[in-house]
Amino acid sequence: MGRLRLGVNIDHVATIRNARGGDHPDPVRAAEIVARVGGDGITAHLREDRRHIRDEDLRRIQEATDLPLNLEMAATEEMLAIALAHKPHAACIVPEKREERTTEGGLDAAGLHNQLAPICARLADAGIRVSLFIEASEKQLEAAMRLGAPVVEFHTGEYAHAWIDGDREKVARELKRVTDMAALAVKNGIEPHAGHGLTYENVQPIAAIPQIAELNIGHYLIGEAVFVGLENAVLRMRELMDAAR
Ligand SMILES: CC(=O)[C@@H](O)[C@H](O)COP(=O)(O)O
Ligand SMILES: NCC(=O)COP(=O)(O)O
């Protein structure tokens, strides 16, 4: 079992910054701290409404650290052009709705095949690793295979909600779904990642899934950072992930 990578999503540093419209706190400073404490990557979601990360943040993040950048993006021509201009290490295609508070579910890679195929192809041609943010289901995984995606990230939102609700049966069901699909992904040559809603409390069962190669964690870490500092929050998450393996 390889070392589980931790990608830190710094979107919500930008959310706090944007609350006052200025430059502080700067997500670039967060990226530098993540790099210093041994994080394995930076994840940033450039939403179409720019509610947190802004266009210029991408270049600044890339200039400030050597960590691989995982750019989360909607499947649109505008975002494709931005990805091609910045050439992040990876582009994770996510579903996006203006009115949602956060990414509510996985990408319908099966239903959107025709829209996604040219976007995936152009990203891949540019040397950008394509990742699809999908629900852990056979249907979506097969669709990811048909699209030739080398990576999928399983949306763990349902798992995280079940944990908050104290619904143990659902937690077990969701965990099994991710576990089974992670095994199936690897069997088919796809690298499985996971993320959304992960916390100190719920991370370990997901981190213990041997095939999962990377977790992307943001909102909870940035929230914790308010109390203990980003460095300590990332180190604690790393410790929990390592202990689970
Ligand atoms: C795709 C995903 O799960 C996260 O990147 C999340 O979307 C962060 O941004 P929001 O909190 O704005 O949804
Ligand atoms: N892709 C998931 C991600 O980047 C972070 O999600 P969250 O921890 O902010 O819910």
Side-chain angles (χ1 to χ4, degrees):
M1 192 170 9
R3 181 178 185 271
L4 177 59
R5 294 195 301 272
L6 172 59
V8 178
N9 182 321
I10 57 174
D11 291 349
H12 296 297
V13 178
T15 304
I16 300 172
R17 174 192 64 190
N18 296 358
R20 289 289 171 97
D23 295 332
H24 182 81
D26 188 348
V28 172
R29 191 165 158 200
E32 287 168 343
I33 292 170
V34 172
R36 205 174 58 232
V37 300
D40 301 292
I42 300 295
T43 290
H45 183 175
L46 184 70
R47 277 187 172 270
E48 290 179 274
D49 63 8
R50 311 302 199 268
R51 69 174 72 158
H52 35 61
I53 294 295
R54 300 174 183 148
D55 300 53
E56 66 270 20
D57 291 331
L58 299 179
R59 176 190 52 77
R60 295 174 60 245
I61 292 166
Q62 286 177 308
E63 282 173 8
T65 95
D66 289 333
L67 286 182
L69 174 65
N70 173 38
L71 171 65
E72 293 185 328
M73 54 175 263
T76 65
E77 278 301 321
E78 183 203 12
M79 289 299 150
L80 174 63
I82 291 171
L84 295 176
H86 287 83
K87 293 208 170 31
H89 169 76
C92 181
I93 303 181
V94 306
E96 212 176 282
K97 288 191 228 130
R98 288 265 159 130
E99 63 280 8
E100 70 191 352
R101 182 169 290 174
T102 183
T103 312
E104 284 164 352
L107 182 75
D108 183 8
L112 298 175
H113 178 92
N114 292 345
Q115 183 190 337
L116 294 171
I119 295 179
C120 291
R122 288 175 67 191
L123 290 168
D125 285 350
I128 300 167
R129 207 162 186 234
V130 176
S131 167
L132 302 178
F133 192 52
I134 58 172
E135 292 299 326
S137 80
E138 239 173 280
K139 179 179 167 190
Q140 297 301 337
L141 198 53
E142 278 163 12
M145 284 175 221
R146 279 197 300 279
L147 287 163
V151 177
V152 293
E153 179 171 322
F154 295 126
H155 188 304
T156 49
E158 284 296 314
Y159 165 81
H161 280 135
W163 199 285
I164 291 167
D165 295 343
D167 186 341
R168 287 178 178 212
E169 276 175 30
K170 189 165 178 198
V171 168
R173 238 181 7 254
E174 290 298 319
L175 187 60
K176 180 167 171 13
R177 203 152 75 88
V178 178
T179 305
D180 291 350
M181 290 307 110
L184 190 61
V186 166
K187 216 165 135 189
N188 287 283
I190 294 185
E191 183 175 293
H193 299 176
H196 202 87
L198 296 178
T199 67
Y200 292 160
E201 201 185 6
N202 68 22
V203 75
Q204 288 194 310
I206 296 286
I209 299 171
Q211 293 88 356
I212 299 278
E214 177 174 311
L215 299 182
N216 285 301
I217 308 181
H219 182 266
Y220 181 82
L221 282 177
I222 304 308
E224 266 301 289
V226 170
F227 304 109
V228 303
L230 184 56
E231 181 166 341
N232 289 327
V234 172
L235 288 173
R236 176 70 185 138
M237 189 60 84
R238 180 74 263 166
E239 211 171 70
L240 290 165
M241 287 163 56
D242 289 342
R245 286 244 151 169

